[in-house]
């Protein structure tokens, strides 16, 4: 991590990464839900599984940032 003036690490790049992954996760949830509503189970699973993985990555990255702040 980049440290500015000997203070706490600069966590802006991780924050941008979390925002990007969060957007992908939200859109994935929307398309997964729509696929299931319209009865496209295969498509829903194909979108839903990567969406769950992205959500897990988001949680890990977010927890990493939160623990650095404390």
């Amino acid at each position: 991590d980049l440290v500015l003036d000997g203070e706490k690490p600069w966590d802006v790049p991780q924050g941008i990464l979390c925002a990007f992954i969060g957007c992908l996760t939200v859109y994935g949830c929307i398309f997964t839900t729509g696929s299931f509503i319209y009865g496209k189970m295969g498509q829903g699973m194909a979108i839903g599984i990567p969406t769950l993985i992205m959500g897990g990555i988001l949680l890990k990255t977010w927890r990493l940032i939160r623990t650095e702040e404390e």
Side-chain angles (χ1 to χ4, degrees), residues 8-68:
K8 70 176 190 160
W10 193 50
D11 57 357
V12 172
Q14 289 91 353
I16 293 171
L17 178 64
C18 282
F20 180 71
I21 294 172
C23 289
L24 291 177
T25 303
V26 168
Y27 276 107
C29 288
I30 291 169
F31 285 114
T32 300
T33 303
S35 295
F36 286 138
I37 288 173
Y38 285 109
K40 298 179 180 181
M41 298 301 167
Q43 181 179 357
M45 294 298 287
I47 299 171
I49 292 171
T51 300
L52 288 174
I53 293 170
M54 286 188 297
I57 292 170
L58 177 62
L59 285 176
K60 282 188 173 186
T61 307
W62 188 25
R63 286 180 184 156
L64 179 67
I65 291 172
R66 301 299 286 165
T67 56
E68 287 178 358

